[in-house]
Amino acid sequence: MFVFVTIIFVFVAYTISIKFVYYRYSQVWPHLRNKISTPLNTVGNASFCPTRERSSALLRNSEEDEPRVTAGETRALLVTAHPDDECMFFAPTVLKLVESQATVYLLCLSTGNYSNQGLQRKRELLDSCAVLGIPSDHVTIIDDKELPDDPAVQWSTALISSLTLKHIRNYSISVWEERMQTGKKKVGVLTFDGSGVSGHANHIAIYVALRHLASAGRLPEGCQILSLHSISLLRKYVSVLELPVSWLLPSDFCCIIGWEEYKHAKKAMLCHRSQLLWFRQLYILFSRYMLVNTFQAITVETKNVKIY
């Protein structure tokens, strides 16, 4: 009887704590969004000249069609490795930013052609982005033989860096001083951390490249990079029960979604029909990343680092 009462008490207490997290989060979300709007670190403003120009993007990648920037506008660039990363790992962030009327761009560095399904996966990615609220003309998919969907292949740090920097500039993620004299720059680049969430080598390669960009002082002044926290296997698959833990642990940027938004995240995942194996179905049900994202800012001292 004592054990039963204890279990009930713990369950009630945990339920209350989850409700408290949602209540507090709804109050502090405007402040949390300022984490992506106000750079935590400033790096150099040296020009970056890649050795080769890549023009294999599937969608919008034109410097002539430069986007307009309005004062106070929040603009975020999400950099991923494969189609389905955007919803499998970053859905809460995208949904919260879109809900708050931020402009979100996606740079996907491969077509996900590991099983020769690249064309289908491109279409699935666009469908998923439509559900999440990212317009198709804000999506760029890179199809380059040097960036294959293959964890056994080491992706080029220089190539990832040049592609990312090109899109930061094309989407005016950091070009603001001439156009936003009256407002603060509100920007952010979102990607994986050094563990890549799932440990995938392609995910980690993106983090390594962007960290090198920051270390070498190649990013435009004030451009901030936020990396998605990788967590333990136990925390990863306890779904909503993980929320109080994420709330209590320190982070630089946090996004939490509720039931209605979760249904959008699930719908986006279901767009990736070619990837819906049985373990992906379980992932949709139990993964913490379907409900909450926490990020750490990449803060490094500016150094003269060569990118190879």
Side-chain angles (χ1 to χ4, degrees), residues 18-29:
I18 292 172
K19 288 183 176 294
F20 173 77
V21 167
Y22 272 111
Y23 171 74
R24 286 292 299 148
Y25 180 76
S26 65
Q27 292 183 318
V28 303
W29 164 243

Side-chain angles (χ1 to χ4, degrees), residues 59-237:
L59 292 173
R60 182 186 177 280
N61 199 19
S62 171
E63 294 185 4
E64 288 80 13
D65 187 21
E66 196 171 333
R68 296 181 60 188
V69 181
T70 58
E73 181 183 3
T74 298
R75 306 173 73 82
L77 174 65
L78 174 61
V79 184
T80 63
H82 318 104
D84 76 9
D85 289 346
E86 79 292 338
C87 56
M88 181 175 290
F89 304 116
F90 295 96
T93 302
V94 174
L95 289 168
K96 290 302 294 183
L97 289 174
V98 169
E99 177 190 327
S100 60
Q101 298 185 334
T103 303
V104 181
Y105 297 91
L106 172 64
L107 171 60
C108 183
L109 292 172
S110 81
T111 62
N113 200 39
Y114 186 78
S115 301
N116 296 316
Q117 297 176 305
L119 289 176
Q120 180 179 354
R121 296 196 68 184
K122 289 177 185 178
R123 292 191 293 268
E124 292 171 350
L125 174 58
L126 295 178
D127 291 342
S128 170
C129 287
V131 173
L132 294 175
I134 305 176
S136 61
D137 61 344
H138 288 188
V139 180
T140 302
I141 305 172
I142 302 299
D143 188 358
D144 193 296
K145 63 182 180 181
E146 293 188 29
L147 299 175
D149 175 9
D150 189 343
V153 176
Q154 182 63 44
W155 281 9
S156 166
T157 297
L159 178 53
I160 297 171
S161 300
S162 64
L163 287 169
T164 303
L165 192 58
K166 179 178 180 180
H167 284 77
I168 288 174
R169 290 169 174 166
N170 281 359
Y171 295 138
S172 298
I173 295 296
S174 300
V175 181
W176 67 282
E177 289 185 299
E178 299 83 11
R179 307 176 192 179
M180 297 172 61
Q181 298 288 349
T182 60
K184 293 181 179 180
K185 180 167 80 73
K186 299 188 175 183
V187 302
V189 180
L190 308 164
T191 193
F192 299 99
D193 69 359
S195 298
V197 179
S198 63
H200 199 296
N202 299 160
H203 299 174
I204 297 171
I206 299 175
Y207 170 82
V208 171
L210 295 189
R211 186 172 181 86
H212 272 299
L213 271 180
S215 299
R218 302 299 189 180
L219 291 172
E221 184 177 356
C223 184
Q224 178 174 250
I225 300 174
L226 296 168
S227 60
L228 181 66
H229 279 143
S230 296
I231 58 176
S232 67
L233 194 65
L234 177 61
R235 287 179 60 197
K236 187 175 180 179
Y237 291 110

